[in-house]
Amino acid sequence: MRNTKAIPFNIPYSASKCAEYVNDVMNSKKLGGNGKYTQLCHDYFENKFGFKKVLLTSSCTDALEMCALLVDVKNGDEVIVPSYSFPSSVNPFLMRGAKIVFADSLPNHPNIDVDKVERLITPNTKAIVTVHYGGISANTIKLRHICDENDIILIEDAAHAIDAKHEEKYLGSIGHLAAFSFHESKNIQCGEGGLLIINDEKFINRAEVIWEKGTNRVQFKKGLIPYYNWIDIGSSFMPSELVAAYLLAQLEELEYIQKKRIAHWNLYYKLLHRLEAIDKIRFPEIPEYAIGNAHLFYIFCKSKEQRLNLEKYLNSMHIKAFPHYTPLHKNPYFVDLYDREELPNSITTSNCLLRLPLYVELTNSDILNISNLISSYLIK
Ligand SMILES: *Cc1c(COP(=O)(O)O)cnc(C)c1O
């Protein structure tokens, strides 16, 4: 079978009003952060998803750094994080002196195995980070119960998870704190950007201070105090209005973007699922409570060798397919520091997972073409 059209892995979505809104900011001569567009983005998230309080950040990594500051992670505190994730799930806590306790994935899904988390908890456990891989919720409600029983803070690394749900609850609303990413690889993007979500009221005031370089400038801007001062530690976490304006245009098209992505996801599944019945590949097990957002479409190959071969074959056909994370405890930075139990599911996931192209501009015939190539390669 031949394929002449090159299919990239991702094309960041470009909303129709991005340029108009960015121009508006340029003309307003108010380019710094926390202006009109930042407020409009905040209103959008608080109204649409029911989040108690949000703060736009320059990245999801920044939002997670704010989480580490808010939780007040200190030397020796332990933070439980799934090994199958991106370094930003752990770096913010390592930077505050935390000891990272890596957790394994489920056997049939990259997400954290919630049933095995309790035995990782010690009196020093300060926080648990959960990652909603591909926009699918781990058993986040159960994880929140476990955290509440043990007086631990739950942080959702919801980088993948905008508009996804656990039953009726939007992801990002279940943890004490949560973080979204608007990196160009995510469903809604502004190049680089993120969002801190604060569901536990006790963190709100301090979050606004940390966001504004450790000053009470947010209160000053609201007219609540005559001057602003340096009152805590903090950093420069807020993005420029240029970024917020670009992001708002994307948010206004969220419904369209999601409709397209979900249709693409469903078509891939329809065309490929029979390969599972004949034992050529596997699909992740999606729990009934998880309502996904089609952030990623991926398959589990039967072995690392099969994944490498299929990846190479698709690339030779000009179709970009990629594996994803190397388990964090196996990365060069950590491999020599790691002295705990093996995490076999995380390793198998890393070996076998293969992501296929998924973005709004992908066409049905692209998906048909990719699926046919995979089927004929595996059945030959
Ligand atoms: C993309 C991603 C991040 C980092 O997001 P940035 O906005 O690039 O900082 C963190 N965690 C996960 C799971 C991600 O996929």
Side-chain angles (χ1 to χ4, degrees), residues 80 103-107 112-121 142 146 341 344-345:
I80 298 171
D104 204 3
S105 297
L106 289 157
I112 190 167
D113 189 340
V114 173
D115 290 330
K116 292 194 182 148
V117 163
E118 265 172 310
R119 61 193 179 81
L120 302 176
I121 295 173
K142 181 169 181 192
I146 293 172
E341 64 190 24
N345 296 335

Side-chain angles (χ1 to χ4, degrees), residues 61-77:
T61 308
D62 265 2
L64 291 165
E65 283 181 26
M66 289 184 72
C67 291
L69 289 166
L70 287 168
V71 171
D72 204 16
V73 170
K74 292 200 179 66
N75 255 333
D77 286 342

Side-chain angles (χ1 to χ4, degrees), residues 59-62 64 85-86 88-89 131 157 159-160 181-183 185-186 192-193 325:
S59 66
C60 178
T61 308
D62 265 2
L64 291 165
S85 189
F86 191 68
S88 295
S89 304
V131 179
D157 178 345
H160 297 184
S181 172
F182 310 119
H183 180 262
S185 59
K186 308 303 200 287
E192 302 275 358
Y325 306 127

Side-chain angles (χ1 to χ4, degrees), residues 292-336:
N293 65 350
H295 174 54
L296 303 172
F297 190 90
Y298 60 95
I299 58 176
F300 288 130
C301 293
K302 301 297 273 189
S303 65
K304 182 173 185 176
E305 191 192 9
Q306 187 200 37
R307 190 264 297 165
L308 284 166
N309 288 338
L310 181 57
E311 184 187 338
K312 214 185 293 169
Y313 172 70
L314 290 173
N315 281 306
S316 77
M317 293 299 195
H318 313 291
I319 292 164
K320 291 288 176 212
F322 288 109
H324 210 174
Y325 306 127
T326 301
L328 291 170
H329 73 291
K330 293 287 188 193
N331 269 262
Y333 181 67
F334 214 82
V335 68
D336 293 332

Side-chain angles (χ1 to χ4, degrees), residues 251-281:
L251 292 170
E252 288 176 348
E253 294 188 34
L254 174 85
E255 234 168 86
Y256 169 76
I257 293 168
Q258 287 305 100
K259 214 173 103 188
K260 280 284 201 186
R261 295 186 75 103
I262 288 166
H264 293 341
W265 197 103
N266 287 337
L267 182 58
Y268 263 131
Y269 188 73
K270 187 175 153 212
L271 295 169
L272 289 172
H273 84 272
R274 72 195 178 95
L275 291 172
E276 185 168 43
I278 57 169
D279 209 26
K280 295 294 181 190
I281 54 173

Side-chain angles (χ1 to χ4, degrees), residues 9-244:
F9 181 72
N10 182 43
I11 298 176
Y13 184 71
S14 190
S16 59
K17 287 199 168 167
C18 286
E20 181 190 327
Y21 291 175
V22 168
N23 257 314
D24 185 38
V25 174
M26 288 166 67
N27 294 331
S28 76
K29 312 287 180 203
K30 289 197 166 72
L31 284 81
N34 199 14
K36 176 175 100 179
Y37 284 97
T38 302
Q39 281 308 317
L40 287 168
C41 288
H42 287 180
D43 291 346
Y44 176 91
F45 286 109
E46 290 171 7
N47 295 332
K48 164 131 181 96
F49 299 111
F51 301 143
K52 189 153 285 168
K53 170 76 189 168
V54 300
L55 292 169
L56 223 51
T57 56
S58 300
S59 66
C60 178
T61 308
D62 265 2
L64 291 165
E65 283 181 26
M66 289 184 72
C67 291
L69 289 166
L70 287 168
V71 171
D72 204 16
V73 170
K74 292 200 179 66
N75 255 333
D77 286 342
E78 293 172 12
V79 179
I80 298 171
V81 190
S83 168
Y84 193 76
S85 189
F86 191 68
S88 295
S89 304
V90 289
N91 270 330
F93 305 96
L94 276 177
M95 285 161 69
R96 308 302 307 162
K99 182 172 166 229
I100 302 297
V101 177
F102 283 117
D104 204 3
S105 297
L106 289 157
N108 298 316
H109 196 280
N111 277 343
I112 190 167
D113 189 340
V114 173
D115 290 330
K116 292 194 182 148
V117 163
E118 265 172 310
R119 61 193 179 81
L120 302 176
I121 295 173
T122 75
N124 293 326
T125 306
K126 190 84 171 242
I128 297 178
V129 178
T130 185
V131 179
H132 310 298
Y133 187 79
I136 296 297
S137 177
N139 198 341
T140 316
I141 302 275
K142 181 169 181 192
L143 201 52
R144 176 67 198 242
H145 286 308
I146 293 172
C147 286
D148 287 344
E149 272 169 21
N150 291 279
D151 207 12
I152 292 167
I153 301 292
L154 178 62
I155 299 164
E156 295 174 65
D157 178 345
H160 297 184
I162 190 167
D163 205 37
K165 287 178 168 178
H166 183 125
E167 287 167 345
E168 294 304 301
K169 281 186 175 296
Y170 278 110
L171 299 187
S173 72
I174 304 169
H176 299 80
L177 298 163
F180 279 174
S181 172
F182 310 119
H183 180 262
E184 66 162 37
S185 59
K186 308 303 200 287
N187 289 24
I188 297 290
Q189 64 88 25
C190 57
E192 302 275 358
L195 187 78
L196 174 69
I197 300 158
I198 305 153
N199 298 311
D200 187 328
E201 267 173 32
K202 73 168 182 265
F203 294 120
I204 293 177
N205 287 341
R206 186 150 186 254
E208 287 181 335
V209 171
I210 287 171
W211 190 54
E212 262 285 19
K213 299 108 179 162
T215 73
N216 50 8
R217 189 160 174 222
V218 171
Q219 282 198 303
F220 169 73
K221 274 184 112 173
K222 288 181 194 159
L224 299 172
I225 45 174
Y227 311 99
Y228 71 89
N229 283 301
W230 175 37
I231 60 168
D232 200 340
I233 56 170
S235 192
S236 183
F237 290 118
M238 76 173 57
S240 151
E241 277 282 287
L242 293 165
V243 170

